[in-house]
Amino acid sequence: MTRTATQLLLPILFLQILFFTFVGRHRFDGDEGFYLLASRLVLMHKKPYLDFFYTQAPLLPYVYALWMKCFQVSWTLARILSALLTALLGGLIYEHVCQQTRTWLAGLAAVILFASSTLVFTWFTVVKTYSLAGLFLFCAYVVVSRLSAESSVWLTAAGGLLFGLSVDTRSYLVLIIPVFVWWIFHNSETRTRLGSILLFLGGFIVGIFPCLYLFMSSPQAFVFDNLGYHMIRANAGLIG
């Protein structure tokens, strides 16, 4: 990034935190109680699927439970975490666009478009899976998109780990794993292609370890909560 772009990073992060926190404090959403209750149960050493019904991938209640343990059990503070995660995502978008275009104006325009999108400030600022999953997914994209022949092998594994954590938060994101594999295949040297893909998939498996552990603990409960319930909740079926 240029010197000006670097100097603007902290002010942009700070303004995003203020904006997303304000939106989060004045936004109402009826599903948040479900996620907050799951986080509270995790804080009481209960496990999703095994001890209580939970209809998403398992990482979110653990992250918010850790936040609550460090501060306090509060709906407002939980939304502040969502606002912080969203601001971090916006900051990463700014850095990435500045790095790609070599101009801070493009990065600033990207942040404005991001923050002003109704799909972002209305959904990412509440206690749902969007901000956490989006942050992990975009981090994985940034890491993988910058891989080169000189990159450390651990960087490839880190990309897989971050993608695995996004799937751990929102399970349907696993459907885009072919995109990452295709990118690595087409942007790696012929002699390192297979090794790079295996490193990415190895990191991915480590990232989804919570899912694997809970699945092995109770396959029937895990599959029903993540798939079966969504197939019967509406007449449209799983895809609908």
Side-chain angles (χ1 to χ4, degrees), residues 1 18 20 32 48 57 69 82 85 113 119 124 132 135-136 140 154 158 161-162 173 201 209-210 217-218 229 236:
M1 289 201 304
L18 290 179
F20 290 129
E32 286 180 289
K69 186 173 182 178
S82 297
L85 294 172
L113 289 172
L119 295 176
F124 279 51
L132 185 63
L135 179 60
F136 281 133
W154 297 110
L161 174 65
L162 289 164
L173 293 176
L201 294 177
F209 178 78
S217 299
S218 181
Y229 165 75

Side-chain angles (χ1 to χ4, degrees), residues 3 25 43 49 65-66 114 118-121 130 134 151 158 161-162 169 179 186 199 206 209 213 218 224 237 239:
R3 182 178 179 182
R25 286 177 60 85
L43 199 58
Y49 320 124
L66 178 62
F114 171 76
T118 55
L119 295 176
V120 173
F121 71 77
Y130 303 114
S151 298
L161 174 65
L162 289 164
T169 308
V179 177
H186 282 274
L199 279 168
V206 173
F209 178 78
Y213 168 75
S218 181
F224 176 78
I239 303 301

